[in-house]
Amino acid sequence: MKIVVCIKQVPGVSAVSLDPETKRLVREGVKSILNPFDLHALEAGVRLKERHGGELVAISMGPPKAEQALREALALGADQAVLLCDKRFAGSDTWATSYVLARAIATLGNVGLVICGKQAIDGDTAQVGPGIAAHLGWPQATGVTALEVAADDGSLAVTRQQDGGHDRLRLPPPAVLAVFKELNQPRVPRLSGWLAAERAPVPVWNAEAIGADPALVGLNASPTRVVRTGPPPPRNKDSRRIETTPAAAAAQLFHELRRIAAI
Amino acid sequence: MKVDPHSNPRQSHQGIWILAEAHQGRLLDVSLELLGSAARLAAQRPQPVWAVLFGHGVEPLIPTLWEHGADTVLAVDDPALGWFNDEEQAALLGRLLRQHRPEILLAGASAVGRALAPRVAVAESCGLTADCTGLEIDPASGALLQTRPAFGGSLMATIRSDAFLPQMATVRPGVMKRLDPVPGRRGGLVRESLRPEERRGLKQLLEWLPSSGGEEGFGNASFIITGGRGMRGAEGFELLRRFAAKVGGAVGATRAAVDAGWAPYAIQIGQTGRTVQPRIYLACGVSGQIQHLVGMQGSDLIIAINPDPAAPIMAMADIAIVGDAFAILPELIALIQP
Amino acid sequence: MPNSQDTRYRVEVSPPKHGAETLTARLERFAARYRQVIAAGHAVCITDNAMGHLCFQGHELIRELGLPVPPGQVMIHLNTFHTLADLHWILDGCAELGVTELLVVSGDGAARLPKLAPAEVGGAGASVTSVELLAYIRRHYGRQFRLGAAFNPYEPAEHELEKLRRKVAAGADFIITQPITRANPLVGQIKGELKIPVILEAWMSPKLSLLSDCIGYDLGDASAFDPLACLAELHRSYPGSGFYLALLDFKTQFDRLPAGGAA
């Protein structure tokens, strides 16, 4: 049985800048990294493989350079990595992206579990995991903070974060999980792992290789359209200074917090 | 893959739906905020506002939804809906969307909203914008313009998806304003039920574990109280924790405080720690070195308490209080009702 | 007691960052610099994920690249951002390779890096600092290693001197300061008071503003900084003192170091 981990290469910065002329993202000089949330998905996959056996496959849809993120997955313990790369995939929103990933999972075959990170740090949508589950028609669990596989029937016991607490569920494979960072502490790969990953083959699959309908991928198949991007609204400029006795300062702060309904 | 985004031509869709969420017999705040948002959109593009409410024993919550702006409540009450079963609720919501054809569906960016909305959007072949902080109707086309932060808030993107209906968005909690409730306001009520083919039975609930509170970490805290070297020791952090408990906030620390052993690294904010963007950030005894500021500058409201009026944090703060947190916080705690 | 080891130049050599891209070439460059420092009779110092950037560990580089470890000529930094298992992997690796000198620091965190928990190393505070780590290594490895600790003359003196006393009590055998660019009264004070060697760090990059950023303290006149002249001046101010060289330029500075550093 295969475990698939879906990963994404993202800009390695927590903040990006916009070109004041073109209003487009400044990407020059910004290093690409493996999406930090995906490390927890990979770690979950590696631990399941270590405990229960199976084959761990990392997949990513992206440009040719996204191969570097897949090599990191190999360094961390993935057995195989596949890059889903095709000019026609460009501009895909989460609908089309999850379609491509779902087609790749179907093509791999014999997949019992798909693990995604919470969300990607560039888009922050958290939509691709449930999207894959919907395309495949498999059950899903998001916000996963604990995960076990039953030895007898292979069913999954997951704990997931909900508003106001956690619930524990049992669900049958095949299933799609989106995991939170609370699930595990990702290991740090070793130099020996990186040296092996540097030499490993990373096959590239296009739309035909995964049997994807070209009419359902890319910008034209994406229901959402970005109509404009811009800087966030400026910080409140009318800052105030309070310089008085502790009791009076506390009273002013109290009224301010109450005014904005913080207390 | 039977779904096809092109198979959804614009038809006679009408209505703004919001997904109302109840947990342990209480509506989430964001559900009432969504009603406020829907009412403002309906003022721009007149159409009825419906609240969709799934759950078990949720009948008593219906008047609250009316009072906060729902013209009609679509309620499905079933023991199977007493916990969040993604597949059942997605099948149910998808069928209701096809049946009633609203133009817009808004859900909270809650745990349930962020799991259910994308599953439904894919199954129903429509677009979905996550975690919106701004919604408006484009006067020219009537499209829903959905604005959301990306890249951790350093970029705002405006998105439309009106070629595929309904236009779906999840909305960040705590951003939209709810309406002033109108006591006694009543609206329509439509009851639906969960159909046998929607009872997928794939998942089984084993256990519900309510939050115990008191865990270290920020979670989704909208109020973060951070201590720096000016808190003088672990006892200073006790004071911050007491205040945080009063306001339902979380405690953070600067690197100096963590390096001194006063606070755990898990709550360190800054370049070599976490980046946070709460609604309110209260910095106590924090000087405001650049490596700290990069971790919190995205906060909505920044308040600083520092005896040094020239400390860098005071220049960045929206409210800068010159003084000693050890003197001010106990006074503030006393003012807040228990 | 100052000994011959402590008047050697300790030359920082940054380990390659994680990543498969150009890995072989980056490893070769590291190995060449390492061998160059050893051949000149100086000591190589390898940092531990400086600024929270994930880099290869000194001991795995030495092992994988077959680098020599002459006695007293290799020092490895060790910080508190590791799992307990990885901490022992590093310490045991160093012991096996004959690396005897460790600089124990709190270190820079990052989301990617785990952090030792107080319970794991027997600490009583809310977080593990270099003090707890020093004590832990001393307890578990006895006199196997010669342990160093850091001193930051740019932090408030009262706070930093108190921390220094705790580091010495926890088992520090020598102290390395943060980079200084001129005679520093606080450094002079601890050199006079402490019975263990105090090694001075010299900033070898002409970009003084980088150092200002690192320490969060404006050192002023960034334009006219001459690192080699500054090092010579420090030799005059602190005769017989050992020096740690940060950001040394191997092309332009290595062959022009003032005498007094070589053993």
Side-chain angles (χ1 to χ4, degrees):
Chain A
M1 193 183 81
K2 294 186 186 114
I3 301 168
V4 173
V5 176
C6 303
I7 65 174
K8 185 179 184 186
Q9 192 179 46
V10 296
V13 281
S14 54
V16 295
S17 54
L18 284 184
D19 185 312
E21 298 275 302
T22 63
K23 303 280 182 226
R24 302 191 65 147
L25 285 180
V26 177
R27 289 195 185 266
E28 291 78 50
V30 175
K31 228 180 133 259
S32 293
I33 60 165
L34 171 57
N35 178 41
F37 288 113
D38 298 345
L39 288 165
H40 300 272
L42 281 165
E43 180 66 27
V46 174
R47 287 189 194 183
L48 286 179
K49 186 189 86 169
E50 284 170 350
R51 187 171 303 170
H52 303 283
E55 190 186 1
L56 183 65
V57 186
I59 64 173
S60 183
M61 188 187 91
K65 69 172 180 142
E67 176 200 305
Q68 292 303 328
L70 289 163
R71 292 204 187 277
E72 184 162 357
L74 291 166
L76 281 158
D79 300 300
Q80 207 197 119
V82 181
L83 176 63
L84 310 172
C85 182
D86 189 320
K87 283 202 186 85
R88 290 166 291 180
F89 296 163
S92 291
D93 72 356
T94 57
W95 194 103
T97 302
S98 50
Y99 170 68
V100 168
L101 292 167
R103 284 309 315 152
I105 291 159
T107 304
L108 282 166
N110 192 27
V111 174
L113 183 61
V114 175
I115 312 177
C116 302
K118 179 192 178 194
Q119 63 196 43
I121 59 163
D122 51 355
D124 294 329
T125 71
Q127 291 172 2
V128 168
I132 293 168
H135 279 295
L136 292 169
W138 292 359
Q140 68 182 40
T142 58
V144 172
T145 57
L147 168 61
E148 275 175 68
V149 175
D152 48 352
D153 61 352
S155 68
L156 304 160
V158 303
T159 303
R160 60 178 185 174
Q161 190 173 306
Q162 294 286 292
D163 286 284
H166 291 76
D167 58 13
R168 282 214 321 126
L169 310 171
R170 190 190 303 286
L171 65 160
V176 179
L177 306 180
V179 303
F180 274 14
K181 61 178 176 22
E182 289 76 7
L183 177 62
N184 55 42
Q185 172 67 56
R187 68 197 60 195
V188 170
R190 304 290 195 232
L191 175 54
S192 52
W194 277 108
L195 288 167
E198 190 195 20
R199 294 184 287 264
V202 175
V204 179
W205 289 358
N206 62 10
E208 282 74 32
I210 58 173
D213 179 350
L216 298 183
V217 301
L219 188 63
N220 289 332
S222 295
T224 58
R225 283 277 180 286
V226 177
V227 292
R228 65 170 179 265
T229 55
R235 284 206 69 78
N236 179 20
K237 285 291 162 218
D238 42 314
S239 61
R240 270 169 45 204
R241 178 154 293 214
I242 297 173
E243 202 159 359
T244 176
T245 62
Q252 285 191 43
L253 188 50
F254 175 72
H255 289 299
E256 185 60 31
L257 291 175
R258 208 160 56 173
R259 190 182 68 75
I260 60 171
I263 47 177
Chain B
M1 279 352 107
K2 287 185 287 299
V3 280
D4 173 2
H6 300 293
S7 70
N8 193 353
R10 194 157 185 170
Q11 297 168 9
S12 52
H13 287 67
Q14 204 200 27
I16 302 174
W17 281 20
I18 70 108
L19 186 70
E21 251 187 88
H23 292 289
Q24 280 72 55
R26 277 204 54 202
L27 287 165
L28 290 191
D29 288 346
V30 70
S31 299
L32 303 180
E33 293 159 15
L34 292 175
L35 280 172
S37 236
R40 281 184 293 278
L41 294 172
Q44 286 182 276
R45 186 173 166 84
Q47 52 194 319
V49 172
W50 283 31
V52 181
L53 180 63
F54 298 162
H56 183 49
V58 291
E59 201 86 348
L61 304 173
I62 293 169
T64 311
L65 294 169
W66 286 329
E67 287 169 3
H68 282 82
D71 298 318
T72 296
V73 175
L74 194 171
V76 187
D77 202 302
D78 191 295
L81 299 172
W83 59 283
F84 178 52
N85 187 330
D86 312 55
E87 294 75 42
E88 285 184 355
Q89 297 203 11
L92 170 63
L93 182 57
R95 190 245 306 170
L96 295 173
L97 291 174
R98 290 192 297 276
Q99 212 172 310
H100 296 274
R101 289 208 290 253
E103 190 180 71
I104 292 172
L105 171 65
L106 305 177
S110 59
V112 167
R114 283 164 71 93
L116 183 56
R119 191 168 179 111
V120 170
V122 161
E124 303 309 316
S125 299
C126 54
L128 170 64
T129 304
D131 215 18
C132 294
T133 56
L135 294 172
E136 59 179 319
I137 300 289
D138 178 27
S141 62
L144 178 67
L145 298 181
Q146 309 148 31
T147 299
R148 66 180 303 262
F151 288 98
S154 57
L155 176 76
M156 302 302 287
T158 300
I159 289 160
R160 60 189 275 187
S161 60
D162 52 312
F164 305 85
L165 297 178
Q167 304 160 84
M168 287 178 59
T170 61
V171 176
R172 180 177 287 191
V175 174
M176 303 295 179
K177 294 217 162 23
R178 61 174 81 178
L179 301 178
D180 289 329
V182 179
R185 181 179 185 272
R186 290 184 62 85
L189 176 61
V190 175
R191 289 180 204 278
E192 286 277 357
S193 53
L194 190 65
R195 291 182 179 168
E197 70 272 19
E198 288 155 1
R199 297 180 195 272
R200 304 285 301 281
L202 292 169
K203 278 201 197 99
Q204 190 191 342
L205 177 70
L206 302 175
E207 185 175 17
W208 167 251
L209 310 153
S211 289
S212 53
E215 304 105 89
E216 295 273 22
F218 302 117
N220 296 319
S222 62
F223 197 156
I224 293 178
I225 300 101
T226 293
R229 184 158 27 234
M231 294 315 291
R232 292 179 225 152
E235 303 72 33
F237 276 80
E238 269 313 309
L239 174 63
L240 299 184
R241 272 187 214 103
R242 256 172 48 218
F243 177 71
K246 278 271 182 194
V247 297
V251 173
T254 64
R255 176 172 177 159
V258 172
D259 279 355
W262 304 340
Y265 173 71
I267 65 169
Q268 182 178 316
I269 293 169
Q271 193 166 18
T272 56
R274 300 270 305 271
T275 299
V276 295
Q277 296 176 291
R279 198 169 145 234
I280 306 165
Y281 190 90
L282 172 60
C284 298
V286 172
S287 66
Q289 285 189 2
I290 181 70
Q291 84 101 355
H292 178 70
L293 300 183
V294 298
M296 45 65 77
Q297 61 196 2
S299 308
D300 292 344
L301 178 74
I302 297 171
I303 307 170
I305 303 178
N306 199 302
D308 175 9
I313 189 89
M314 302 293 263
M316 156 172 272
D318 300 297
I319 302 176
I321 302 173
V322 182
D324 182 0
F326 285 95
I328 293 169
L329 285 186
E331 298 271 0
L332 189 55
I333 290 170
L335 286 170
I336 300 169
Q337 294 303 313
Chain C
M1 292 303 116
N3 57 36
S4 68
Q5 279 188 14
D6 290 310
T7 57
R8 254 189 192 124
Y9 281 128
R10 285 173 171 73
V11 179
E12 191 173 283
V13 180
S14 298
K17 283 183 187 162
H18 277 211
E21 223 165 345
T22 65
L23 178 56
T24 311
R26 291 184 295 123
L27 290 171
E28 276 166 12
R29 197 169 75 135
F30 171 83
R33 287 179 171 186
Y34 181 107
R35 290 179 194 278
Q36 189 181 353
V37 173
I38 298 286
H42 309 314
V44 176
C45 302
I46 306 174
T47 52
D48 181 7
N49 300 328
M51 297 306 289
H53 296 303
L54 198 51
C55 296
F56 295 113
Q57 285 295 322
H59 75 95
E60 58 178 347
L61 287 163
I62 292 169
R63 179 173 288 140
E64 207 71 49
L65 300 172
L67 297 168
V69 183
Q73 275 188 275
V74 179
M75 182 178 93
I76 280 179
H77 291 227
L78 182 59
N79 71 30
T80 61
F81 291 89
H82 297 286
T83 61
L84 190 62
D86 279 3
L87 179 74
H88 283 282
W89 170 65
I90 294 167
L91 288 166
D92 294 343
C94 286
E96 212 177 293
L97 292 163
V99 173
T100 53
E101 209 168 70
L102 300 176
L103 178 63
V104 179
V105 294
S106 292
D108 303 311
R112 180 68 181 93
L113 299 172
K115 169 88 179 173
L116 285 165
E120 291 178 307
V121 296
S127 71
V128 176
T129 70
S130 55
V131 175
E132 289 77 28
L133 185 54
L134 281 162
Y136 180 83
I137 298 170
R138 200 45 102 214
R139 258 197 327 277
H140 287 260
Y141 291 81
R143 305 297 308 177
Q144 173 107 45
F145 298 110
R146 194 159 173 266
L147 302 177
F151 176 75
N152 187 349
Y154 302 106
E155 293 285 313
E158 185 192 354
H159 183 82
E160 197 59 22
L161 288 171
E162 187 269 333
K163 245 163 79 174
L164 182 65
R165 279 189 284 275
R166 289 195 289 132
K167 288 172 186 174
V168 173
D173 297 306
F174 63 96
I175 299 298
I176 298 186
T177 68
Q178 285 284 312
I180 55 172
T181 53
R182 59 179 76 97
N184 180 304
L186 207 51
V187 168
Q189 182 189 335
I190 68 161
K191 273 183 92 71
E193 284 176 10
L194 292 181
K195 292 188 178 63
I196 55 174
V198 176
I199 293 154
L200 310 177
E201 184 165 337
W203 187 253
M204 300 310 292
S205 165
K207 288 183 188 148
L208 197 58
S209 57
L210 279 180
L211 175 56
S212 298
D213 291 347
C214 281
I215 58 179
Y217 175 93
D218 190 6
L219 295 164
D221 60 333
S223 52
F225 182 65
D226 178 350
L228 284 168
C230 171
L231 177 60
E233 180 58 36
L234 287 171
H235 271 295
R236 280 189 289 278
S237 301
Y238 299 102
S241 184
F243 285 90
Y244 180 106
L245 309 182
L247 296 186
L248 182 75
D249 188 311
F250 279 72
K251 282 203 194 83
T252 62
Q253 293 175 329
F254 191 87
D255 296 325
R256 297 170 55 210
L257 288 173

